[in-house]
Amino acid sequence: MSDQETTDQMPEEEPPTEPQPPGRKRLLRSRSDRMLGGVAGGLGNYFGVDSLIFRIGFGVSVFFGGLGAVAYLALLLFVPSEEDDGTVGEAPIQRSRTLAIAAAVGVFIFLASWGIFDGDPFWFDGGPWFFGGPLFLIAIVAALFYLLRRDRDQATTPGRIITTIAIAIGAAIGLSVLAIAAAWAGATGSGEAIAGVIIAIGVLLVIAAFRGGLRWLIVPALALAVPLSAVAAADVSFDGGVGERTHEPASIAAIPEDGYELGVGRQAIDLRELDWEDDTVVELRADLGVGQTVVAVPESVCVTGDLDAGAGAVEVGGDEEGGFDVDSQPLAGTTATPRLELDADVDLGHILVVNDDELDIDDDRDHGPFRDRDDGDRDQMREAMALACADEPEPPASEREQGTGSPQDRPKGNG
Amino acid sequence: MRQGLDVVSLGAGLGLIAVGGLLLLDQAGSLELTIGLAGALMAGLIGMILLLSGLNDDER
């Protein structure tokens, strides 16, 4: 594309479709040099280089964190396009209220995902309301965008702002109820009914499409489909009830053969009061749908086994793995005793194994027992776990005192 | 309701039928949805709806 085809900067107050006066070049999406949205063509035209360079750059950058894709999308949304008659059109984000709201929601979800996947699935503080905070904020952002778009031609009054935000929050609450109901149905074995409702809404939308459309049905349908698909994919099950459970078996025989199970909530299994002999091996199973499982053992006990998290994190003795489909097998093959062989599953949430004789596992329950612990505490647990899981028996205290290990290398106390 | 064919409703409806069908099969035990597949399905569905909506917007 030649420079003549590049439109020039025009004052902001001018209508967007006016012919452009001569002056400084303006970045516009190209109409003639276009493969997708004309972004690369417009950049090439603006900088006076071959647009192929930008196309290659965008393509390659996708494989390096996807920043190029984000940049392309942003340019596609915010940069206006040149029109066939040489005028400058509006940017898509200006032309479409839907796109403006969608972009706001997308940006917010992108930002929120950093918090969600930063080792804390209970972002915005625990329970079924953990996504309530984001929904409220999305509602407020959407309402403000709606007002900003609509208020170009109308006066903004505090009453209208409050009314619009209230409606948006009300809609967010309604959608939250739908989402929770869908997730609950999926986790309790009634997901087929919700799937049927989603199909029925789809059929209704197809029929309505030929009579002008019924777009408002799309949002509640997504509010059902997204949580149900998440629950289905993570195999979340609410079998075992809901609530907060603390188990402190007085003896190994008191541990149920099938282990402990909870649907939603927090279960703490404190094994520190068991009679751990040098050759004791305890097998424990713990299942959880959504929430947090905490297993506490004395510092002298080695922990091995198979710990799985559909989505969330597994932390054993200060070492944490997080993400999706986490399968942690700490110190597999270790035969050191005393030993806990733990078989734990959580569909969505945390599994925490604490090897600390003094930690109050009921403390700071909203954020888990490790949230306020520093790296020194984690290091201490790592060292204790490594020592407990060493295949050679721990040297007697008399030898340790003679210099075979510094005090910092030793776990504190004994369970 | 708008008059004439609404491409957004049509695309969303077809997408929801497809996603609902897969969810139904998963819940019935006929197939096993993974997190990666479910995430791709949802992202694809929402992306398609937003794209259709943006390209066919006539709200103003």
Side-chain angles (χ1 to χ4, degrees), chain A residues 94 330 398:
Chain A
Q94 293 174 299
S398 57

Side-chain angles (χ1 to χ4, degrees), chain A residues 25-108:
Chain A
K25 274 203 304 186
R26 182 179 182 185
L27 177 60
L28 298 173
R29 288 183 293 115
S30 173
R31 172 68 62 181
S32 55
D33 186 10
R34 169 175 295 203
M35 292 188 71
L36 292 175
V39 171
L43 286 170
N45 190 31
Y46 184 78
F47 291 105
V49 297
D50 194 330
S51 59
L52 183 63
I53 295 173
F54 288 99
R55 291 200 173 93
I56 293 173
F58 281 126
V60 171
S61 70
V62 170
F63 299 99
F64 293 91
L67 191 60
V70 175
Y72 188 95
L73 188 61
L75 290 168
L76 183 65
L77 289 173
F78 288 98
V79 174
S81 175
E82 61 181 1
E83 302 295 335
D84 291 332
D85 58 3
T87 59
V88 180
E90 285 183 310
I93 203 82
Q94 293 174 299
R95 191 170 60 240
S96 167
R97 189 180 68 207
T98 304
L99 270 183
I101 294 173
V105 172
V107 167
F108 186 80

Side-chain angles (χ1 to χ4, degrees), chain B residues 24-45:
Chain B
L24 190 60
L25 290 173
D26 176 90
Q27 294 296 298
S30 299
L31 66 83
E32 184 76 16
L33 273 182
T34 63
I35 287 177
L37 179 58
L41 273 175
M42 286 300 115
L45 176 62

